[in-house]
C-alpha cells in the first residue's frame, strides 16, 4: 500500500493507520486534494472464510492507506452469533499471538515436533516472546522506507544434464 501511494505521490496525503490496533479503518478523501487510491478486493478462487489470509492482506493494504471497501465480518475476532467485532483478537492475529501460543504449546508438549515445525524460526532466533516485536519492527520498516529493493541475482554455473557428444 505504501509503495503504491508513493508511486503516485499520495503517500504524504494519505498516511493510513499509523498504530496497528486491529480497529476497523477506512481511508476518506481529503478535500482539494487528489482522491484516495481505490482498489477492490478480487478473491479469485481463494476461499473467503472468516480469518482467511486474503483478508489479512486486504487489512494491511487498507491500513496502509488504500481505499478498499470492506467490512469486519471476515476478520478474525468477528463473532457471528453476537454480531460484534473484537479488535483485540484481530490485533493479536496481526502480531502473530496465535502462532506464539501454538509455539509455546508445541514446545511444552512435543519438542521434536516443535523443532521440525518451527525450524526456520529457531534458525532466525525468533521465539514466542519475540514474535510481536518482530512484526512491530517489520511494520515500522515498511513505514520508514516502502521502496522495493531487489535482491542481487545469484550467478550459478549452468549445469549440463546430458553427456557431451564425442
Amino acid at each position: 500500500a505504501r509503495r503504491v501511494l508513493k508511486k503516485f505521490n499520495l503517500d504524504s496525503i494519505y498516511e493510513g493507520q499509523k498504530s496497528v490496533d486491529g480497529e476497523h479503518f477506512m481511508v476518506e478523501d481529503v478535500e482539494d486534494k487528489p482522491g484516495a487510491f481505490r482498489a477492490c478486493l478480487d478473491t479469485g478462487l481463494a476461499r473467503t472464510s472468516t480469518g482467511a489470509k486474503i483478508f489479512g492482506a486486504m487489512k494491511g493494504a487498507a491500513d496502509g492507506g488504500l481505499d478498499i471497501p470492506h467490512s469486519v465480518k471476515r476478520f478474525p475476532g468477528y463473532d457471528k452469533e453476537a454480531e460484534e467485532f473484537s479488535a483485540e483478537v484481530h490485533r493479536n492475529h496481526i502480531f502473530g499471538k496465535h502462532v506464539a501460543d501454538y509455539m509455546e504449546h508445541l514446545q511444552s508438549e512435543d519438542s521434536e515436533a516443535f523443532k521440525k515445525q518451527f525450524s526456520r524460526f529457531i534458525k532466525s532466533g525468533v521465539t514466542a516472546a519475540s514474535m510481536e516485536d518482530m512484526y512491530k519492527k517489520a511494520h515500522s520498516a515498511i513505514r520508514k522506507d516502502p521502496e522495493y529493493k531487489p535482491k542481487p541475482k545469484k550467478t550459478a554455473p549452468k549445469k549440463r544434464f546430458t553427456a557431451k557428444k564425442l
Side-chain angles (χ1 to χ4, degrees), residues 2 14-19 63-65 138-146:
R2 302 305 307 158
Y14 299 102
E15 292 289 320
Q17 189 169 14
K18 292 182 180 177
S19 65
D63 284 353
H139 286 132
S140 64
I142 291 169
R143 283 260 175 213
K144 184 179 176 186
D145 184 22

Side-chain angles (χ1 to χ4, degrees), residues 85-142:
F85 176 66
S86 171
E88 184 63 29
V89 172
H90 194 199
R91 182 193 179 284
N92 290 340
H93 269 74
I94 291 170
F95 286 116
K97 180 144 178 22
H98 62 294
V99 177
D101 292 342
Y102 182 65
M103 281 178 79
E104 290 171 348
H105 168 74
L106 199 59
Q107 191 172 19
S108 65
E109 295 292 317
D110 187 7
S111 62
E112 286 301 315
F114 169 76
K115 288 176 185 173
K116 185 177 180 183
Q117 182 82 26
F118 294 103
S119 61
R120 294 238 175 148
F121 281 76
I122 295 167
K123 186 177 178 183
S124 300
V126 177
T127 62
S130 67
M131 184 82 63
E132 186 171 337
D133 295 332
M134 176 184 71
Y135 283 113
K136 282 183 178 179
K137 196 162 98 174
H139 286 132
S140 64
I142 291 169

Side-chain angles (χ1 to χ4, degrees), residues 19-94:
S19 65
V20 183
D21 56 5
E23 292 288 336
H24 185 248
F25 178 76
M26 298 275 291
V27 173
E28 295 179 10
D29 289 343
V30 177
E31 262 186 55
D32 300 330
K33 301 278 184 181
F37 190 90
R38 179 173 279 261
C40 293
L41 179 66
D42 180 10
T43 59
L45 296 174
R47 292 185 183 261
T48 55
S49 59
T50 301
K53 291 179 184 178
I54 193 148
F55 295 113
M58 191 262 323
K59 172 70 172 155
D63 284 353
L66 297 183
D67 183 16
I68 303 174
H70 64 280
S71 71
V72 296
K73 289 185 178 180
R74 290 295 184 183
F75 292 151
Y78 181 76
D79 186 13
K80 194 172 185 177
E81 285 88 30
E83 292 187 7
E84 54 183 43
F85 176 66
S86 171
E88 184 63 29
V89 172
H90 194 199
R91 182 193 179 284
N92 290 340
H93 269 74
I94 291 170

